[in-house]
Structures are given as structure tokens and as C-alpha cells.
Amino acid sequence: RSRTQHRTPGKLVRNGEDKKAVVCIEGNIASGKTTCLEYFSKTSNIEVLTEPVSKWRNVRGHNPLALMYQDPERWGITLQTYVQLTMLERHLSSIVAPVRMMERSIFSAKYIFVENLFRSGKMPEVDYAVLSEWFDWITANISIPVDLIVYLQTSPQTCHERLKQRCREEEKVIPLEYLESIHQLYEDWLIKRTSVPLPAPVLVSDCSLGFGLC
Ligand code: DCP
């Protein structure tokens, strides 16, 4: 097999001269992740993977993202199962540049979004248990290398303003309280570090006034 073919994350990635770095950009909905990644996509030696949100809006003609916002109790597991699959695909895809920057991760999908649905009473316990079993199996059996987490720390109010401006159809129903819950879970995970394990060191970027590099 050629070098590029057997670039299985967690194997060659860790191998001396061929080591490649994986950076996950994390942050609330509309915190500026896409703007951040667009900046880096113009530089050389960095490959950028944006979130597979277009897939979440159209899987064989269905829109699980919209369904989840309409009725989270019924469709939360549907969306999050698909998110978990598409994020895993991203993590395991061949890395072509010395540095990979990717939007979010399989970790925040579970630790932030699934957790939020469950804690807010919008996901039945059995759905949460099944998703947790899947997540635990994946992370125990598949190497998912992450070298750095960059946390775009933004106030929920700022995210809400940006959300209203960008007007994505599915997201019109998102209230400020939803963004506050997501924010709190991110803070517990990446700042207070009181909740779940950290897969990598964290770099915090204050993005309340916009993305700093612009
Ligand atoms: N989403 C979800 N569950 C996940 C991941 C995302 O319900 N596990 C939802 C939240 C948003 C949509 O998917 O409604 C898109 O997610 P992002 O916030 O990650 O993407 P944005 O485009 O909003 O990011 P940004 O504005 O920071 O670039």
C-alpha cells in the first residue's frame, strides 16, 4: 500500500516524519467556525474539512436536521445517529496535507448535542442509551486522532444575533436558551473541564467581537 493509502488516522499519523496534525474547530452554533475555516482554506499545507451539514439537510431526499428542530423527541436520535456516522467518515478519511483543520468532531456531537437533547428532556433515555453504546464502541475500537481543539468562545447572545442574520430555514426556531445550554456544555467540557474527557489540548479564542484573524 502507498503512504497516502494507508494513512489510517492513529497509525501513520503518529509516525515520525510523516506525522500530520489534526485540529478540530469547536464552538456554539454560529460562533464563526466556517469563517475561521475559510480563512485557513486559502493557505497552503492545510486541508480544511467543513461540517457535513449539507448531508444532514439531505439524506436520500430527507432533511433530518429540519425534522430534529420540529420534533426533537421523535427525530433527535435520527439526526444524531447520522451526525455520528458522517463525523466518523470525516475523521477516518485520508489526510492529504500536513495539517488538517476540521469543523467540530465526533466528540462534540456526543458530549454537546446528544447530551443537550438528553438533559433538556428532549431525548428519551433509551435513545440516549443506544447512541451512547455506539459512541463508546466507536471510541474504544477506532483510533480517532485529534492533536488540538480550538475553541471559538462566543457569548450565546452574539451567536443568536448571527443566527438571525444568516437565516438558515431549519434554525428559525432556535431560541436564545438553546444556545445558552450549548454554551454551558462547551464551557464545562473545554474550560472548566468538569464533565467528560478531553481528546486533545485546548486553545481558546475569544470570538465575541468577530473572528480575530479577519
Ligand atoms: N447540529 C446538531 N447536532 C450536531 C451538530 C450540529 O443539531 N451534533 C446542528 C446545529 C446547527 C447545524 O447543525 O443547526 C449546523 O451546525 P453548526 O453550528 O456546527 O454549523 P454553523 O454553520 O452554525 O457553524 P458556524 O456558524 O460557527 O460556522
Side-chain angles (χ1 to χ4, degrees):
R1 290 195 296 176
S2 75
R3 286 226 130 193
T4 40
Q5 273 175 328
H6 66 165
R7 173 149 294 296
T8 311
K11 292 195 176 140
L12 251 188
V13 171
R14 306 276 158 197
N15 244 350
E17 41 139 4
D18 210 19
K19 180 170 168 25
K20 303 196 173 185
V22 179
V23 181
C24 293
I25 310 297
E26 295 284 357
N28 209 336
I29 302 168
S31 57
K33 297 179 294 299
T34 308
T35 313
C36 169
L37 286 164
E38 271 168 10
Y39 176 86
F40 286 103
S41 67
K42 293 179 204 129
T43 62
S44 54
N45 292 331
I46 297 179
E47 79 170 330
V48 163
L49 294 189
T50 50
E51 219 170 19
V53 64
S54 57
K55 288 188 170 187
W56 308 341
R57 300 173 88 183
N58 184 359
V59 50
R60 303 186 186 193
H62 300 275
N63 185 342
L65 183 68
L67 290 169
M68 192 276 296
Y69 280 124
Q70 281 160 27
D71 186 354
E73 207 157 346
R74 168 65 184 86
W75 299 110
I77 188 165
T78 309
L79 174 70
Q80 295 306 332
T81 303
Y82 193 48
V83 168
Q84 188 154 263
L85 171 66
T86 54
M87 291 310 302
L88 185 61
E89 276 176 341
R90 291 270 145 124
H91 282 292
L92 299 184
S93 65
S94 294
I95 304 178
V96 293
V99 177
R100 160 176 286 181
M101 293 184 80
M102 59 183 283
E103 190 169 0
R104 290 228 178 92
S105 60
I106 197 167
F107 300 102
S108 53
K110 173 68 167 63
Y111 298 152
I112 306 296
F113 285 91
V114 172
E115 201 60 37
N116 185 50
L117 282 165
F118 178 59
R119 286 197 199 180
S120 60
K122 293 189 185 114
M123 176 175 278
E125 199 165 341
V126 61
D127 291 359
Y128 178 74
V130 169
L131 276 169
S132 299
E133 287 288 312
W134 263 112
F135 177 80
D136 291 348
W137 188 89
I138 289 166
T139 49
N141 291 283
I142 302 175
S143 172
I144 301 173
V146 177
D147 296 285
L148 180 70
I149 291 173
V150 175
Y151 174 35
L152 305 189
Q153 194 179 36
T154 324
S155 74
Q157 290 77 8
T158 305
C159 293
H160 200 229
E161 286 308 313
R162 290 181 188 156
L163 201 71
K164 284 189 281 187
Q165 277 165 24
R166 85 173 170 202
C167 235
R168 201 182 264 158
E169 191 56 38
E170 294 87 345
E171 297 176 344
K172 284 186 176 155
V173 293
I174 297 181
L176 177 61
E177 297 72 51
Y178 187 79
L179 299 175
E180 284 171 343
S181 310
I182 298 284
H183 176 74
Q184 203 46 58
L185 284 163
Y186 260 119
E187 292 286 301
D188 291 347
W189 181 37
L190 300 180
I191 304 290
K192 293 187 199 135
R193 300 170 192 197
T194 49
S195 49
V196 281
L198 275 176
V202 182
L203 180 70
V204 183
S205 171
D206 182 352
C207 291
S208 289
L209 300 174
F211 185 56
L213 286 169
C214 298

